[in-house]
Amino acid sequence: MKYISTRGASAPVTAEQAILTGIAPDGGLYLPETVPVFSKEDLAEIAASDYRSAALKVLRPYLPSFTDDELVSCVGEAYARFDTSEPVQFQDLGNGLNVMELWHGPTAAFKDMALQLFPRLMPLCKAKCGTAEETWILTATSGDTGKAALEGFCGVPGTRILVFYPYGGVSRIQELQMTTQQGDNVGVFAVRGNFDDAQTGVKRLFGDASLAADLAERGVRLSSANSINWGRLLPQIVYYVYASARLSVGGPVDFIVPTGNFGNIFAGYLAKLMGAPVGRLVCASNRNRVLTDFFETGVYDRRRPFYKTASPSMDILISSNLERLLYLASGRNAGRVAAWMRELAEQGSYAVPDSVMEPLRETFSFGFADDTATVEAISACWNEHRYLLDPHTAVGYAVYRELKNPSNPAVLVSTANPYKFAPDVLKAFGMSADGFEAQDLLGTETGVPVPASLSALREKTVRFDTVLSPEEMKTVLL
Ligand SMILES: *Cc1c(COP(=O)(O)O)cnc(C)c1O
């Protein structure tokens, strides 16, 4: 299986090349040239299996040069650090709604599902490509990716990881998770600006030819752990296939997905293309409702105010993975995708015709919730179900409650543990506090246990406290 660029001007590559390089030389994103399709028997087998076996079955066709032994050990190690034996947990809230908890990994957010597996693929990809280069992972983070990537790459031979997060743009707990990171191959920097500024800064480093030449002389190659990397997306397909196969009662299962960079929900779309019984995919946004407007109007317009919200990991105005959806939805029209992305870069917007939008609206539902609606959703869910949501998942719950007659069984994709965002969750109980005090109050109020990885932060010392402007990112890298 080869991987091709959504912008059509780069040569097809193998899976290991796609994962090593992250972004295609023409600026596009890699996608498999064909999507493998499961038979009914395959899906029945997945429905009856455990998560790790389901993962092997989904990964195999996408990584043809990996041996079964290699995949078994990568998957085994990836999910060994989760606090439950099955990495994905389901909570049945009744009335056909299940919550799929994806946050039982070491950093208490769903990013671990991919970022515990992806770094383990990396050394194998290098061996298969016959390269001895060091890989430096550059990551811009709106909060959760950074910590998950640090945990995933910490100590992985032949790699270093540098994380850039928006200064003042992540929660106190998220910041502490990153700035206390252990390991010799890690670096963490706060960047003045918002997430898009940090992400643009990282993209600029990737596009800097003289920097690449400089690093090549030192035997170093840059790569990315953002969800533009195929190695990040692939592990996320697994839980959509697995959940829909298990929870289907003959028909399709809908998923409500709190969305930012469009990576998580796009993995759900791929699961659907693979033949899994995925029904509608509900794209839930916070007040940064650029995707809601896009699905409504066909116009993607990033020229709008950027809001900091209670769901910071979704505070994004450029949803990179939408490019992959547009590529598939336009009938793999790379020329068109390249033109749209050029318009986005140059004018800040592009318009997609109805012929492409109409079929998409049959699969995707969409909606948004502002912070008030988010806090109300946390409160409603607690009062009705005694189930505690984090603000990101609560955006999804708020949008779900607004849906007109949800007809299929539905899965609310839960992307973070509530204690990661305790101050905002606490507002749903009419209280206010920050940091660990907020965790303590929330624990007393609800009796819901704090994950061990978050309690442990109280004892750790800060190792990284540098604040940079985006222009200084290249200097610290060098
Ligand atoms: C990253 C993240 C999201 C958004 O996921 P995308 O793949 O960027 O759409 C939602 N919730 C949480 C908690 C996250 O960490």
Side-chain angles (χ1 to χ4, degrees):
M1 173 177 299
K2 290 284 189 180
Y3 287 77
I4 48 178
S5 163
T6 49
R7 300 196 192 169
S10 302
V13 298
T14 61
E16 42 277 19
Q17 286 169 322
I19 290 173
L20 274 189
T21 47
I23 195 161
D26 62 7
L29 308 184
Y30 284 117
L31 272 176
E33 72 188 339
T34 55
V35 176
V37 176
F38 283 135
S39 66
K40 281 215 159 55
E41 293 70 38
D42 291 329
L43 291 167
E45 188 190 317
I46 288 171
S49 75
D50 64 5
Y51 190 83
R52 290 165 180 83
S53 313
L56 293 174
K57 201 156 166 88
V58 173
L59 297 178
R60 257 183 222 119
Y62 287 107
L63 301 171
S65 70
F66 284 65
T67 66
D68 241 37
D69 283 351
E70 287 172 336
L71 288 178
V72 167
S73 86
C74 286
V75 168
E77 286 170 26
Y79 299 116
R81 293 184 60 205
F82 280 56
D83 65 10
T84 44
S85 57
E86 277 290 280
V88 171
Q89 297 285 314
F90 294 94
Q91 304 290 340
D92 190 347
L93 298 191
N95 285 327
L97 181 65
N98 263 278
V99 179
M100 174 163 69
E101 297 175 348
L102 298 177
W103 39 257
H104 287 279
T107 79
F110 94 98
K111 303 290 196 294
D112 292 327
M113 295 302 302
L115 277 166
Q116 283 295 312
L117 180 55
F118 166 64
R120 295 183 160 83
L121 301 175
M122 205 70 153
L124 293 168
C125 287
K126 274 198 232 175
K128 289 175 199 297
C129 291
T131 159
E133 285 166 334
E134 251 199 44
T135 310
W136 290 6
I137 306 289
L138 302 187
T139 295
T141 183
S142 53
D144 290 330
T145 301
K147 176 59 181 178
L150 288 163
E151 279 295 330
F153 281 99
C154 170
V156 173
T159 68
R160 297 194 199 189
I161 167 141
L162 291 184
V163 169
F164 300 93
Y165 69 92
Y167 185 52
V170 302
S171 83
R172 180 81 191 113
I173 296 296
Q174 285 178 313
E175 184 169 41
L176 271 179
Q177 281 186 305
M178 292 188 278
T179 57
T180 61
Q181 177 67 42
Q182 298 297 299
D184 297 332
N185 63 337
V186 306
V188 178
F189 301 94
V191 178
R192 282 186 208 96
N194 59 36
F195 169 72
D196 287 316
D197 297 318
Q199 176 157 266
T200 305
V202 164
K203 282 186 178 163
R204 203 181 312 126
L205 295 175
F206 282 121
D208 186 330
S210 82
L211 175 66
D214 214 13
L215 292 176
E217 256 172 50
R218 294 157 65 176
V220 170
R221 197 209 288 242
L222 298 181
S223 189
S224 147
N226 282 76
S227 56
I228 53 175
N229 193 310
W230 174 250
R232 268 285 304 278
L233 267 180
L234 176 56
Q236 298 180 352
I237 302 172
V238 177
Y239 46 78
Y240 288 97
V241 174
Y242 177 70
S244 61
R246 273 172 67 110
L247 298 173
S248 166
V249 277
V253 178
D254 295 341
F255 289 85
I256 303 102
V257 191
T259 300
N261 219 4
F262 209 76
N264 197 0
I265 194 168
F266 181 73
Y269 186 70
L270 284 174
K272 187 177 172 80
L273 297 184
M274 292 181 77
V278 174
R280 295 190 76 88
L281 292 161
V282 182
C283 176
S285 298
N286 65 23
R287 194 179 174 199
N288 295 296
R289 48 175 288 182
V290 61
L291 287 167
T292 315
D293 293 344
F294 169 71
F295 279 112
E296 218 160 72
T297 64
V299 176
Y300 193 96
D301 193 346
R302 65 156 305 195
R303 297 165 302 177
R304 58 178 70 215
F306 175 91
Y307 298 112
K308 281 190 193 179
T309 73
S311 43
S313 300
M314 296 155 64
D315 288 348
I316 289 175
L317 292 180
I318 302 180
S319 298
S320 306
N321 277 293
L322 193 62
E323 177 168 350
R324 287 186 159 110
L325 181 71
L326 291 174
Y327 178 78
L328 297 179
S330 66
R332 296 179 174 256
N333 190 334
R336 236 172 170 190
V337 170
W340 287 328
M341 293 306 127
R342 204 160 43 236
E343 285 167 37
L344 181 65
E346 288 167 6
Q347 296 147 36
S349 80
Y350 58 89
V352 174
D354 273 349
S355 57
V356 175
M357 290 310 296
E358 276 311 316
L360 283 181
R361 290 189 190 109
E362 272 158 38
T363 294
F364 289 90
S365 301
F366 42 88
F368 78 102
D370 64 13
D371 280 357
T372 308
T374 303
V375 169
E376 273 168 19
I378 295 173
S379 171
C381 190
W382 178 256
N383 290 335
E384 287 162 29
H385 304 293
R386 283 291 179 268
Y387 184 78
L388 192 62
L389 298 171
D390 94 285
H392 303 76
T393 312
V395 166
Y397 191 61
V399 170
Y400 170 76
R401 283 159 58 95
E402 291 286 306
L403 287 184
K404 317 256 176 325
N405 355 295
S407 46
N408 301 323
V411 173
L412 173 61
V413 177
S414 179
T415 52
N417 180 283
Y419 283 102
K420 225 174 156 172
F421 303 94
D424 284 300
V425 177
L426 207 52
K427 287 183 188 155
F429 297 87
M431 290 187 271
S432 103
D434 200 12
F436 295 119
E437 195 198 335
Q439 288 189 352
D440 290 340
L441 281 172
L442 195 57
T444 310
E445 186 69 20
T446 64
V448 174
V450 185
S453 64
L454 296 184
S455 322
L457 280 178
R458 293 171 193 245
E459 317 300 327
K460 298 212 164 138
T461 38
V462 170
R463 293 182 65 204
F464 302 98
D465 58 6
T466 307
V467 184
L468 308 170
S469 67
E471 294 70 38
E472 291 169 305
M473 289 166 66
K474 183 168 173 177
T475 318
V476 299
L477 172 78
L478 286 169

